[in-house]
Amino acid sequence: MSDQPRRPRTLNDARSEAEAAFKKATAKVAQAPPKQTTLPGVRELVSLRIDQDVLEYFQSGGPGWQERINAALRKAAGR
């Protein structure tokens, strides 16, 4: 083999080598982050549009109307 002259590198050779190296470096499949478990009793702030009469109904009971809405939604969800 030492008696054969080396073939000069061309742009295509360098490009194909670079593409092969890039494929090796980026071939890993991205894994989804582990799902976080929800803690009981932790509430999340959301924006919710409801009809005015429904809001007035829950607010007419005084303080705690948000908890009453949450309880009604929980009941509707079967929990």
Side-chain angles (χ1 to χ4, degrees):
M1 278 197 197
S2 61
D3 57 332
Q4 294 181 359
R6 290 185 62 180
R7 176 174 77 136
R9 295 181 92 174
T10 64
L11 179 61
N12 288 338
D13 290 339
R15 178 177 290 152
S16 62
E17 286 180 20
E19 287 175 354
F22 182 76
K23 284 181 184 178
K24 282 183 190 177
T26 59
K28 295 180 182 175
V29 177
Q31 295 180 359
K35 186 175 182 179
Q36 296 178 351
T37 57
T38 57
L39 300 174
V42 176
R43 298 194 175 182
E44 187 171 340
L45 179 64
V46 296
S47 177
L48 179 67
R49 293 179 183 265
I50 55 176
D51 293 336
Q52 184 67 34
D53 60 329
V54 173
L55 180 61
E56 288 172 359
Y57 171 79
F58 283 100
Q59 287 180 337
S60 67
W65 61 271
Q66 292 173 323
E67 286 80 11
R68 289 190 295 277
I69 290 176
N70 192 47
L73 290 171
R74 186 179 304 278
K75 184 177 178 182
R79 295 185 176 196

